[in-house]
Every structure is written in structure tokens, then in C-alpha cells.
Amino acid sequence: MGRMGAIWGLFLLLCVASCGLAAADSFEPGPDYVYDLIYDHKTDVKACVRLLHSEGEVGCSSPEGGSVGSLYPIETEAEYLDFKDHMSATWTDLKAIVLAGHLFNKTIIDGLHQTKAVVGIALLPSNATGFACGAGKTGFSPAEKYPNKKWGLHPDSSHDWNPCGNAWFMEKLPFPVFSLNSDADGKDLVHKARENKRLDSWPKWSAEFKAFMWGAGDSNICLRRGYCDPVGGQSVWGSFEEGVDAERDIVLVMSQLDSNSIFQDLALGAEATASGITTLLTAIHALADQRKLEAQQGGIYTPPVRAKRQLVFGFWTGETFVEDLIHFKCKSVVHGENGRVRCADPWMTDYGFKNISLSRIHALIDLQQLGQLDAQNPTVYVHREATSQGTAQLLDVLTAVAGSSVSVKPAFEPAFELPPSSLHSFLLANSSLPALLLSDFNTTYRNPYFQSRWDDWNNVNVDSVCTAAGLVARTLYQLVHDVAPPQELKPNCTLVHDLLDCLVRNNTCDMKRQLLGVVEAPNPPTGYAGLYRHDQAAYNINALLVHQVLNWVTSPQYYMPAKLHANCSASSHCPEGHNMECVSGVCRNSSVFFHDAAPFGLEWDANWAQWSHSTALFLGTHPQPLWTEPTWDTPTLRVFKREQFIIEVLTLVFGLLVFSVALGFLWLARRSLNARFKAVPSSSSSSSSTSTLSLSQS
């Protein structure tokens, strides 16, 4: 009875404990209760990821199982030097460095790597900072001193356009790097790292970095193995007129749409790309307002007068548009429901671009880095290539329409060479094209943070962009109509502010909500191109915004309200056969198109479910890079308290020992209970058996 009483007592104790826990309303553990007790998952982080090109790898990755190290603070150069000089690699206590943002440079990262004691970097939030980069300048740019030189017009040039560049983009970083966006997370990691350093005892606060990239080697190997997707997306191009008239001369004005950064989610490109995008959009808006004014003269709405030349505008992702102009062949043309012509084999979102002929281009103008004009003496510099023809006449037009608000000066007189630009791809196809690049710099970039995370809202000036937009609008009017621009042709500086806000820092801005609906994307917006996949179109959110802004201001409905169509919630709700797009809830005639920005020479092989090279990766005689991004799981950074390695081993051994002893006790207990409480036959069964036996004996 004693043993049974003990069992019943234990049972009653468990019941009481269970009832007590159930009655405690404040204790409501969820499915991740234990996980959350152990780990602090940092969600507001941006990871450096790996990219591949045709010759190798760049960027960051972690081992497949992640990297774990105890937190260690480095917030000053003195702390870095002390760590570098005195820290020795101990595989049982590797370090996860909590690094101040102003120390994130190639020299320090290389120095940390040399200690062989670092498994990852948690980069603290910081304001823009920099390092001495020649001629009294201070800045930080992970791009090359001559970006894309190897694949441009002048692969042997000795000129440095980007003096603050350190070419970090083209290197493979030795460990994962995560950028913290939250000041609260940064303060928390610093506090924990300083606690580790002060106490110098176990357990220690530690961090686990997971950013494993499945692809390796180079793009060709990775694509063949099926672990990579090409970097690409969508370009945007269009006109005020429906389609391109192949019999008229063209004024083609352009800006780069995508940007880059070590942290692709922080590829803001405020000065590098957004200033050019905003300049062109604002100029187009000013021209649209002028068309509206001309259409409404006398109180009667009439279509604008057909211009002498056709204006075509382009916002390019990558450098593939010219290659498609020259080499793209469509095997199967289809007509979409909204009247647009597409190519089904190979797939191309729009096929009307083939009407653009390089031989009909009257002027080719690229807008780049226009957000830092000198405040006292605003000056736009005009860059030309020595082989280009007709650029002197274009320069004369720019000078004539500049007025008193801005100066126009030729860069490198006489003509020297073009800076890195989308114009390179056009001139590689035809070196005599009349091409100009308009920028705020002369011989070197004014932007000290080119393609870095600090090329943000604070690195661009609204008044500078508005001034440039006015110059561009007047220039385009004169080139297209062959007459002097009217006095009332002026840019809207409020629009400049709103566009920069939407492109660089605010995914939930009013313009995006109005034109795109509810935007479920994190801030800040990124200019990273994204991935080009065979089974779905990849639209960067800024490309979508540019497309809808152009649809809004270039449609006839902008200047002729009588042409407004019924409300809509999608383009499929609009009338068929009229190139209709649903913009801000209204069907509008559209002359704006997406263009698939797929890398050169790639085709999707459906039989093998992989990308293959249909042609060599060359533009003219110049080799082109093949950029790809490996597949990867969502990068994660989590913090937890970790014991010393030997303690972890002993804990595991002790746990296994306890488990083994428990199994032994259970086995003995079961054997004992089976022996003590073995089933005994009942008396009736025994009597029946005895009677049967007696009868059989008789």
C-alpha cells in the first residue's frame, strides 16, 4: 500500500500544479514561448548578400549553418587597433563585432579578417560619414574609381571619375555583414557587447548570422546548376504619342533607373540615380502642362500640334535596351487585350520598341547626378564623346535656352570621354550618335557617397534638381519643335520634392498611394533592380511609380478631360484595343511601356528548366558582365546568451547521462511493477478449470 500511496500522491500533486497553472490568467505561453525566451530576433536589419558575375563572386555570405560569435564592441579607431593588435583567434570564442558605422571601410574590414577571430559584423546605424579620398575630399563609395570601366567605351582609361571609390563592390567579403536600421537595436547590441567586455566571463551575449548563399563560382556555373537567377527587371520607356513613328527623327532622353549598394535594400541612389529620374519626370510634367495650355487655348480642347520631331524618353534598368534594338528577333507576335503588341517567343512585354531606329536619332541626352548643383552659381556640365557628331549644335541649344537661372558649360574642352553612363551602350553600337550627358560634375563626381547607403535624402538638393528640370524641359521643347520655348514653360518644384521623397525615403508617400494603391513594402525604397525570372515579371516599386507617373501626364486625358473614361480598379477593366491603362482609378490612353531588362544573350530552356546562353555576352566587340544572384533563405540575425564551449559539452554529456539513468530507472520500475502486480486468475475461473479437470479424469 505504501508504494501505491506514493504514486497516488504524486498524481494528486501534478493535478494541483496543472490546475494552478491553468488558473493563472497572466501566463499564456504561445507556440514560440520557449524560443522567445532564449532568442532576441533582430528583424529591422539589411544584409549584405552575394552576387556573381561572369568571372567570379562578390559580396557576403555565411556558412550554411550560420556563424556564431560573442558580441564585441568597436566604436572607435582606438578600439579597433587594440582588437587588431591583441586579439588572438580562439575557435571556442570567436567574435561578432558590433561596429560603428563610420568605421565600416575596406581597411578596417581587412584588418578584422586578418585576426581570424571574427565571424560577422553587426553594423550600427550612423549618419553619413567618410574618409579622406584625395583633393581634400571626404567620402565613402564602394564602387570603382571608374565604375563599369571594364565593360564601357574606355576599358584602358586612367581617369578616376569617382575619387572616393574603393572598388569594394568587386570583392568577396570574408564574413556576413548586417546593417542595423533601428537605433534601439543598435543601443541594445552595444550594451550587451560592453557587458561582455566588462565582465569578460561566461555566459556571454552572442549573435548568430545566417545569410547562406547557395550559388558559388561564377554566373555560368551557378545558372547551369540552377542556383541563381539573372539580375534584371523592367525598364520604362514611352512618348507623348501612341507608339513610335519610324519615319520621324527622334529626340531620345534618358536616365538610369536602378542603383546599387553593398546592402541591396539600402541602394537608395538619391544623387546617383533618383536625381536624374526626378529631373526627367519633372521636365516631362512641365512639357505636359504646356501641352495642356496649348490644347485649351480659346476655351476649346484641341489636340496639340504635331511636333517636328518625336520625343521618346527612357528609364533604363541595366544596359540591355540597345542590344534588344539591334538583335532581338520575335518568333511569335501576339496582340494583347489592351491593343498592345507583345512577343510570345521569346517573351517580351512590348514589341513596339523595335520602331526606334538608331539612324533616326537627332539627339541622345542622358541625365545623371543633377542634385548637387552649386548653390551660388548653378552650373550644368555637358559631357561629350570625341567620336559623337552634331554635339556642338546640341550644346548651342542648351546654352541658348539656359537663361539666367543656370549656366551651361562643356566638360573637358575639347571633348574628352564620357563618364560612366547608359550612353556607353548606345555609342558601342554606333559611335557617331549625337550624345550628351548632363550632370552637376565636371572632371570628377561631386557625390562623395556614390552607390553607398549614405547616398540618401540628405545627399540631394530639391532646388538643384528643379533648376536642372527647367533647363531640360526648355531644351527638349526647342529640340522637338525647333522653336524657342515659351516663357510659361516652368518646372513644378513641389513635384520635385514629392518625387524625391517617394523614390528615396518613403514607400507610403501620397503619390504612391494614389497611383499604386496600398504599398506593402518596407522603408526606405530601394533602387536595386531585383531578379529577372522566366515565369514572372519583376517590377521594382520605383519602376512601377515611374510607369504610372508617365501614364498620368502623357495620356490625352491629362489635357483633354472630355476623353476621360469610366472608373477602374485594374487595366483589364478598361476598353479593349486602345492601349488603355488604369491610372489612379481612371482608364487612360497609354503610350508608356515596360521593357524586359534581361541580361544579354540569355534564354530560358524549358526542357532543362534552366537558363542558357543563346548568344555571346558581347555588345558590339565589348564583353558584358552577366550578373546573377544566388537563391537564399531570408537572412536572419538573432542574439542570445551562450555558455562557454566546455560547459556546453559538459551540459550535453550530463544531459545524455541523466537521460540514460532515467531510462534505466524506468526499465527497473516497469520490471518491478510487473512482478508485484502480475495478473492473478479469478476464483470462478479456477473453479471452472478444476471441475473440467475432474470430469475428464472420471
Side-chain angles (χ1 to χ4, degrees), residues 240 281-296 304 311 473 477 489 549-550 552-555 558-559:
F240 280 106
L281 287 176
T282 305
I284 293 170
H285 178 265
L287 293 172
D289 280 347
Q290 182 62 31
R291 287 165 62 87
K292 179 192 291 187
L293 187 64
E294 294 172 358
Q296 296 175 1
L311 175 63
Y477 190 95
L489 180 60
V549 169
L550 291 174
W552 170 44
V553 300
T554 62
S555 69
Y558 185 74
Y559 57 85

Side-chain angles (χ1 to χ4, degrees), residues 6 42 68 294-295 463 521:
K42 303 298 183 184
V68 178
E294 294 172 358
D463 292 336

Side-chain angles (χ1 to χ4, degrees), residues 339-361:
R340 296 197 169 180
V341 179
R342 294 178 170 85
C343 183
D345 183 21
W347 173 256
M348 181 62 72
T349 305
D350 178 77
Y351 195 50
F353 75 96
K354 291 292 285 185
N355 287 332
I356 298 176
S357 172
L358 295 181
S359 63
R360 303 295 300 188
I361 292 180

